[in-house]
């Protein structure tokens, strides 16, 4: 649900992890690890599901990816990217060694 506005605003490629409602099994932790190693993915947003998606089970479906991301990345300071302070979304940097200017 968040991919389209990000693509439009930045012109950068964005992957909708799990499809529109987060239920499509497009990734495994192993595939994500390979994509990070190949420099195909840099950032992952977690806690970005709508109420409808959560009720449909997307939080459970995405748990293996979320666990891998939390174990293998660094949260990005929300002051650098979050416009809405009430949001529970967390942006993770999978390559913190590159610095945020990259």
């Amino acid at each position: 649900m968040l991919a389209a506005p990000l693509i439009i605003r930045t012109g950068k490629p964005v992957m909708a992890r799990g499809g529109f409602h987060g239920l499509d099994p497009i990734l495994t932790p192993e595939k994500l690890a390979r994509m990070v190693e190949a420099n195909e993915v840099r950032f992952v947003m977690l806690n970005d599901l709508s109420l409808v998606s959560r009720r449909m089970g997307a939080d459970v479906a995405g748990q293996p990816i979320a666990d891998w991301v939390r174990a293998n990345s660094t949260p990005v300071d929300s002051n650098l990217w979050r416009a809405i302070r009430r949001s529970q979304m967390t942006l993770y940097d999978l390559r913190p060694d590159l610095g945020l200017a990259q």
Side-chain angles (χ1 to χ4, degrees), residues 4-94:
L6 290 172
I7 294 168
I8 291 168
R9 184 171 178 196
T10 68
K12 301 286 184 182
V14 175
M15 176 175 46
R17 179 180 46 88
F20 187 76
H21 281 296
L23 296 169
D24 297 331
I26 65 165
L27 279 178
T28 63
E30 297 78 19
K31 182 171 182 176
L32 180 58
R34 287 191 303 273
M35 293 174 77
V36 171
E37 183 67 28
N39 293 318
E40 296 174 340
V41 176
R42 170 78 191 270
F43 297 98
V44 172
M45 181 80 68
L46 296 181
N47 301 323
D48 58 339
L49 297 170
S50 69
L51 178 61
V52 170
S53 294
R54 286 193 308 272
R55 286 190 176 175
M56 293 174 70
D59 49 349
V60 174
Q63 195 63 51
I65 296 291
D67 290 344
W68 187 91
V69 167
R70 288 184 184 104
N72 293 281
S73 64
T74 302
V76 175
D77 182 351
S78 63
N79 291 318
L80 297 174
W81 63 272
R82 186 181 296 155
I84 301 171
R85 300 292 171 215
R86 300 175 311 224
S87 172
Q88 297 298 312
M89 291 186 288
T90 304
L91 182 65
Y92 289 88
D93 188 347
L94 297 165

